[in-house]
């Protein structure tokens, strides 16, 4: 009995009749090409039934891509994206989802996007989707916490948690998991495709805009630390970090100017690190939490609109005023870091 990819590539949980897990699973592939997409999905731990399957994912106690075996539960398994693909930086232990993505993610993306498998678009999106979609699944399934120490608050709405809620409740008279399994496929599949669409049509095109802004930064301010995005607030943060490394900028970028949808302008601090709530240069502490005339009078810049209580972002009625706020923040050093 084959064990294939469904028509829409991502999003299949465990293939056995136990309650649905907290993490989704991609359907399996092999070391060559993906198996037929019209084959039957079998959910079982029965060794005899498993022996008749062409591809095993998350069961079987074996990782052997040459034989279509993609389990990660065996004690001997310690593979990561980096160990299987040394050109990749991620060292999180792979789940079966990550194994299949490692071997077949590029092929899946190429088919969905109509792009060459080894082209720059697929290469960039393969990395982006692993880091921002698949790696979390790998870590959750392997019991790897996102940070050391006691968490400050509960994360209860992750993709893994939402799939887990599709399990029958412990006291439901009907304990059939098949309906939840089908809903999980639809849930994870749709989220994967939506995330891919965003990265392809919004995040990736933003890189060219950010790169142009980086190259023109000295035209905005002589410090070279203020970036202007005249097209608006496109996804810029991750591109900034990457371009700083690639272009070996002599001084780190500190503040970004861009117009909002209402025609006013924002000045926002570059985060201290990717995914960080800390700012490299928060707006001055004395400005934080103030608005309109009170803020304009204190800053000495007419037309100010607001500064967030943490100092990570502020607003002005005009581009010139936002630039003045940025320059004043550079002069004053931003005070203590915001959170």
């Amino acid at each position: 009995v084959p064990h294939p990819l469904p028509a829409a590539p991502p999003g299949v949980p465990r293939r056995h009749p136990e309650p649905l897990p907290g993490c989704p699973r991609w359907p399996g592939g092999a070391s060559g090409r993906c198996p037929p997409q019209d084959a039957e999905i079998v959910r079982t731990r029965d060794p005899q039934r498993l022996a008749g399957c062409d591809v095993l994912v998350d069961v079987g106690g074996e990782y052997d891509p040459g034989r279509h075996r993609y389990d990660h539960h065996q004690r001997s398994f310690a593979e990561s994206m980096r160990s299987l693909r040394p050109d990749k930086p991620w060292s999180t232990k792979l789940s079966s989802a990550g194994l299949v993505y490692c071997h077949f993610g590029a092929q899946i993306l190429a088919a969905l996007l109509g792009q060459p498998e080894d082209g720059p678009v697929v290469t960039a999106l393969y990395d982006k989707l692993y880091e921002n979609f698949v790696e979390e699944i790998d870590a959750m399934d392997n019991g790897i916490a996102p940070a050391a120490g006691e968490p400050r608050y509960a994360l209860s709405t992750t993709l893994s948690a939402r799939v887990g809620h599709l399990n029958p409740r412990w006291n439901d008279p009907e304990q059939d998991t098949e309906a939840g399994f089908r809903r999980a496929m639809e849930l994870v599949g749709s989220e994967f495709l939506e995330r891919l669409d965003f990265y392809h049509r919004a995040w990736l095109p933003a890189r060219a805009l950010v790169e142009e802004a980086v190259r023109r930064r000295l035209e905005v301010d002589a410090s070279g630390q203020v970036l202007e995005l005249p097209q608006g607030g496109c996804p810029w943060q991750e591109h900034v970090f990457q371009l700083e490394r690639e272009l070996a900028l002599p001084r780190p970028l500190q503040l970004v100017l861009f117009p909002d949808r209402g025609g006013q302008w924002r000045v926002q601090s570059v985060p201290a690190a990717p995914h960080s709530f800390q700012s490299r240069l928060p707006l001055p502490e004395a400005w934080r939490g103030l608005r309109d005339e009170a803020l304009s009078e204190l800053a000495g810049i007419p037309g100010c609109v607001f500064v967030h209580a943490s100092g990570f972002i502020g607003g002005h009625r005009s581009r010139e005023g936002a630039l003045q706020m940025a320059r004043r923040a550079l002069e004053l050093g931003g005070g203590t870091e915001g959170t």
Side-chain angles (χ1 to χ4, degrees):
V1 179
H3 194 346
L5 285 165
V12 179
R14 297 178 194 263
R15 314 295 198 267
H16 54 75
E18 297 177 359
L20 291 175
C23 282
R25 295 291 178 275
W26 270 261
S31 57
R33 308 299 293 174
C34 288
Q37 296 191 13
D38 59 350
E40 180 187 357
I41 297 176
V42 176
R43 305 177 69 217
T44 184
R45 285 192 182 279
D46 184 337
Q48 292 186 342
R49 298 191 71 192
L50 292 177
C53 292
D54 296 319
V55 179
L56 300 185
V57 177
D58 211 39
V59 292
E62 185 178 10
Y63 168 53
D64 182 356
R67 296 176 48 247
H68 306 332
R69 289 343 188 211
Y70 296 95
D71 200 5
H72 70 112
H73 294 100
Q74 56 274 23
R75 290 185 61 181
S76 60
F77 184 86
E79 302 289 359
S80 65
M81 186 69 82
R82 180 188 292 175
S83 70
L84 295 179
R85 297 191 57 177
D87 60 317
K88 304 301 181 186
W90 303 286
S91 58
T92 300
K93 182 181 176 181
L94 295 171
S95 67
S96 294
L99 280 174
V100 174
Y101 188 84
C102 178
H103 287 283
F104 294 104
Q107 182 186 340
I108 292 168
L109 298 183
L112 287 170
L113 299 172
Q115 294 279 343
E117 201 171 319
D118 58 354
V121 171
V122 169
T123 298
L125 295 179
Y126 176 92
D127 288 356
K128 185 66 175 173
L129 279 160
Y130 182 75
E131 186 171 52
N132 290 273
F133 197 92
V134 183
E135 186 178 24
E136 176 187 324
I137 297 169
D138 288 339
M140 295 286 276
D141 191 47
N142 285 301
I144 302 170
E150 189 72 19
R152 294 184 177 182
Y153 52 87
L155 293 175
S156 59
T157 59
T158 63
L159 179 61
S160 298
R162 294 197 304 279
V163 170
H165 287 310
L166 299 177
N167 285 315
R169 297 169 183 172
W170 71 270
N171 55 353
D172 282 345
E174 177 58 61
Q175 290 292 310
D176 179 28
T177 63
E178 194 62 30
F181 172 79
R182 298 295 170 182
R183 289 174 63 195
M185 284 200 296
E186 294 176 4
L187 169 68
V188 183
S190 64
E191 290 202 18
F192 181 92
L193 294 174
E194 288 169 4
R195 191 74 63 88
L196 173 61
D197 184 68
F198 170 78
Y199 289 142
H200 182 220
R201 299 176 61 185
W203 177 83
L204 196 58
R207 179 189 161 94
L209 301 179
V210 177
E211 183 171 1
E212 176 65 17
V214 169
R215 296 188 186 279
R216 298 183 59 182
R217 68 194 186 282
L218 294 173
E219 300 175 19
V220 178
D221 186 76
S223 69
Q225 296 184 290
V226 181
L227 201 67
E228 180 181 354
L229 297 169
Q231 298 87 351
C234 66
W236 56 265
Q237 295 186 3
E238 291 176 88
H239 294 308
V240 161
F241 291 111
Q242 187 172 10
L243 288 164
E244 282 181 331
R245 293 191 300 269
E246 292 178 7
L247 301 176
L249 300 188
R251 303 181 72 184
L253 296 165
Q254 299 285 5
L255 297 160
V256 178
L257 308 180
F258 57 90
D260 63 21
R261 294 179 179 177
Q264 297 183 340
W265 279 73
R266 302 292 178 93
V267 52
Q268 182 172 345
S269 177
V270 176
H275 314 298
S276 173
F277 290 111
Q278 299 290 324
S279 297
R280 284 181 178 177
L281 182 64
L283 296 173
E285 186 172 11
W287 299 0
R288 299 175 197 173
L290 298 181
R291 297 187 61 88
D292 304 321
E293 291 303 321
L295 174 59
S296 298
E297 183 176 350
L298 180 63
I301 304 171
C304 292
V305 177
F306 77 97
V307 169
H308 190 274
S310 70
F312 89 98
I313 194 170
H316 197 280
R317 295 174 187 168
S318 70
R319 181 257 185 199
E320 291 73 18
L323 179 56
Q324 288 184 54
M325 292 176 71
R327 287 172 172 166
R328 189 68 52 83
L330 287 172
E331 293 171 5
L332 297 176
T336 59
E337 283 197 347
T339 55

